[in-house]
Amino acid sequence: MKVIDTHCHFLTKAYVDALVRYDRINEDGFPIPDWNPQMQLEYMEKAGIEHAVLSLSTPHPHFGEDAFSRDLNRSINEEAAMLVRKYPDRFSFAATLPLPNVGYALDEAKYALETLGARGVKIASQSNGLYLGDERLEPLMEYINEKKSVIIIHPSKPQAVPEGCFTSGPLPLLEFINDTTRAVINLLANGTLEKYPNVKVLVPHCGSFLPNIIDRLSGITRLFEQKGIGKAVDVQKGLSSLYFDIAGDAFPRGIKILQSLADDDHIMFGGDFPYTPVPMIVKKREDLEQMGLSQECFDKYTHSNAEKLFGINCL
């Protein structure tokens, strides 16, 4: 059985050093894990993962200095590309970009996709307040559309987090899910996905809160249109272009809710290593095997959808 992990992270020494330098190492209320290529390969062996699409997690590597972020992102992407060249059958990668500087991000996207062989780009839900769907990102979106490439969304800490509340500590619990949902709604409401139909967007964590709020988005924008304060959003058209991974706690309810929203051709496996322990990822595989899916649907979730999306050929 082939499994391609589309939500899998790596860390470089330069990245971790930068988190320490800018006092961002504990920003998310979640410990930064150890990682190295050997740990990654051992995880894949234990969890039965044949191929992993590596991308950077959070905190997003921009700490207020554009030039430093540009150079740091370049080093991260070059290290990822070196790993892919060393293990081409086991790894692909999505490049990280030095947003919110759109010019630098466009330059890095071109270098990563055309020179380093990246399979897509990882973009945070928001970068220092610049959300996906913002018109300032249009030069970057135009290029990604031209390349018919993939955006992997990863949650980011929102600029404002309530204090004195449990969820303000471990941000992955709620704030990450909130911010991902906010970014995707921004893409849908601003018509970005319709304007750039060749851009393929992979939404993490079973669509975050999108399955729960999508009907409300459609209804509220219709009401806005009736009141003359906005336009209705073609939710179904936008949804049809989105892809989803099942990273996080997908069982027993999350994946079923996602199935009510997404086509089977657009759902794929995600483990979230090394932030999620290996035994939990192994359990996820077992839960997926026990869902009673048809063989065709099971193959789609575990590998064939990812092969098509990222152009991966796993023999």
Side-chain angles (χ1 to χ4, degrees):
M1 178 177 59
K2 292 193 294 187
V3 180
I4 297 176
D5 189 346
T6 63
H7 190 132
C8 193
H9 300 304
F10 71 107
L11 298 97
T12 71
K13 184 178 185 303
Y15 172 62
V16 175
D17 287 348
L19 295 181
V20 173
R21 171 182 171 180
Y22 286 93
D23 195 24
R24 305 286 284 274
I25 197 77
N26 296 312
E27 177 177 277
D28 299 330
F30 196 85
I32 298 294
D34 294 328
W35 183 91
N36 60 52
Q38 188 58 40
M39 290 173 61
Q40 175 69 35
L41 291 167
E42 289 173 0
Y43 147 66
M44 293 169 69
E45 184 67 25
K46 291 176 182 177
I49 307 296
E50 184 165 350
H51 192 93
V53 181
L54 301 174
S55 61
L56 201 69
S57 182
T58 184
H60 179 63
H62 191 291
F63 312 114
E65 298 181 30
D66 284 350
F68 179 81
S69 176
R70 176 197 61 199
D71 296 343
L72 176 60
N73 279 261
R74 173 61 57 89
S75 76
I76 292 168
N77 292 330
E78 289 186 334
E79 284 201 42
M82 287 174 59
L83 188 61
V84 170
R85 287 195 296 270
K86 187 173 182 179
Y87 301 101
D89 295 332
R90 307 308 306 274
F91 301 128
S92 302
F93 85 102
T96 184
L97 305 179
L99 290 167
N101 188 306
V102 178
Y104 284 167
L106 179 57
D107 290 342
E108 190 60 26
K110 290 179 177 179
Y111 177 70
L113 292 174
E114 297 177 19
T115 301
L116 297 181
R119 298 284 181 172
V121 295
K122 169 253 166 176
I123 299 181
S125 51
Q126 58 85 25
S127 306
N128 294 9
L130 179 64
Y131 275 89
L132 281 163
D134 192 297
E135 64 180 8
R136 288 172 289 177
L137 288 170
E138 292 213 350
L140 179 61
M141 296 299 296
E142 287 173 2
Y143 174 72
I144 297 171
N145 188 68
E146 175 190 324
K147 301 299 289 185
K148 300 181 180 179
S149 196
V150 182
I151 293 173
I152 295 179
I153 298 178
H154 195 278
S156 186
K157 177 184 177 181
Q159 290 194 300
V161 176
E163 297 181 5
C165 176
F166 174 73
T167 58
S168 65
L171 296 184
L173 172 63
L174 180 69
E175 297 301 336
F176 279 7
I177 307 303
N178 279 339
D179 214 58
T180 301
T181 305
R182 186 178 292 115
V184 177
I185 287 177
N186 209 43
L187 284 168
L188 293 171
N190 290 336
T192 306
L193 300 177
E194 293 181 50
K195 186 172 183 179
Y196 303 108
N198 295 325
V199 175
K200 297 173 278 288
V201 177
L202 179 57
V203 183
H205 305 126
C206 290
S208 297
F209 288 141
L210 201 61
N212 305 87
I213 203 170
I214 201 67
D215 292 330
R216 185 170 177 82
L217 172 65
S218 182
I220 283 181
T221 58
R222 285 199 301 270
L223 180 60
F224 284 175
E225 187 174 53
Q226 293 170 13
K227 299 292 185 181
I229 55 176
K231 62 178 182 179
V233 175
D234 189 342
V235 169
Q236 195 54 48
K237 187 173 183 179
L239 282 177
S240 66
S241 68
L242 294 174
Y243 294 79
F244 303 89
D245 72 46
I246 61 169
D249 299 297
F251 295 91
R253 285 171 284 273
I255 193 168
K256 294 178 181 178
I257 297 172
L258 176 60
Q259 287 175 314
S260 71
L261 175 76
D263 187 277
D264 285 337
D265 291 334
H266 284 223
I267 298 173
M268 54 201 70
F269 188 85
D272 212 351
F273 182 81
Y275 296 82
T276 297
V278 175
M280 293 180 67
I281 301 173
V282 172
K283 179 64 164 58
K284 176 181 292 183
R285 271 202 52 173
E286 294 171 351
D287 288 340
L288 190 59
E289 292 168 7
Q290 294 169 11
M291 278 189 68
L293 300 170
S294 68
Q295 187 63 50
E296 180 184 14
C297 186
F298 185 78
D299 289 345
K300 286 179 178 180
Y301 288 12
T302 54
H303 64 93
S304 62
N305 287 344
E307 288 173 329
K308 292 176 183 176
L309 180 63
F310 292 101
I312 299 167
N313 184 20
C314 287
L315 299 177

